[in-house]
Amino acid sequence: MDEEKQPAQGENLTAGQAFVKSIRPAGCALFLIVAVLVAAVCLTAGRDPIPGYRPPERASYENDLPALVSVLEEQVFPRLPEYDMTAAITGETVTVTVEQGNFAAARSAILRYFPQDLITFERG
C-alpha cells in the first residue's frame, strides 16, 4: 500500500518538513481564511465603468434612437474622457466609433448600461 515516507526517528527533518509539521493546524486555518477573503474580494470587487453615471429607470430606446444618441453624447461620453467616441444612427442601430483608447474597455463600459442589440461599435 501507499505509505507516506516518514523520516526515521534518528533522522533530522529538512527545513521544509519541519515548517510543514510545525504549522499544520494553523496553516490549514490560515489557508481557509485567505481562500475565503480572496473569494469575497473576487466576487464583490468591480469598479464602476462610468464613474457617477446612473442610467434612467426602465429606459426604452428601441423606438427612439435619437434619444439614445443624445444620452450617449451628453451624459456618457463626457464621463469617459480617456476615449474619443462619437455616436451616429445607422439604420436600426446606433454606431459608436471609438477613435482612441482601449476599444474593449470602452465597449464594455457602454454595454453595461445599454442594450447590445441597439448599439454597434467600430474602431476609429
Side-chain angles (χ1 to χ4, degrees):
M1 310 258 184
D2 291 335
E3 293 182 19
E4 292 185 28
K5 272 192 165 180
Q6 296 287 334
Q9 294 289 349
E11 279 185 48
N12 289 335
L13 297 173
T14 65
Q17 290 172 331
F19 178 74
V20 169
K21 186 175 182 178
S22 66
I23 68 155
R24 187 164 280 166
C28 180
L30 179 66
F31 175 79
L32 290 175
I33 290 169
V34 169
V36 168
L37 290 175
V38 166
V41 168
C42 289
L43 294 175
T44 61
R47 67 180 194 95
D48 192 11
I50 304 175
Y53 178 72
R54 297 288 168 245
E57 296 286 327
R58 298 184 202 145
S60 176
Y61 299 109
E62 293 172 3
N63 298 324
D64 196 7
L65 293 180
L68 177 58
V69 171
S70 172
V71 167
L72 287 171
E73 289 178 344
E74 295 171 6
Q75 297 177 16
V76 176
F77 295 165
R79 294 177 190 260
L80 296 169
E82 62 270 18
Y83 313 108
D84 183 19
M85 295 186 280
T86 58
I89 298 173
T90 54
E92 300 285 321
T93 63
V94 172
T95 300
V96 174
T97 304
V98 181
E99 300 291 337
Q100 66 181 8
N102 186 340
F103 178 81
R107 182 180 184 278
S108 175
I110 291 174
L111 289 180
R112 181 164 181 178
Y113 298 103
F114 298 98
Q116 183 174 0
D117 58 332
L118 296 179
I119 302 174
T120 57
F121 292 87
E122 292 180 351
R123 295 180 194 268

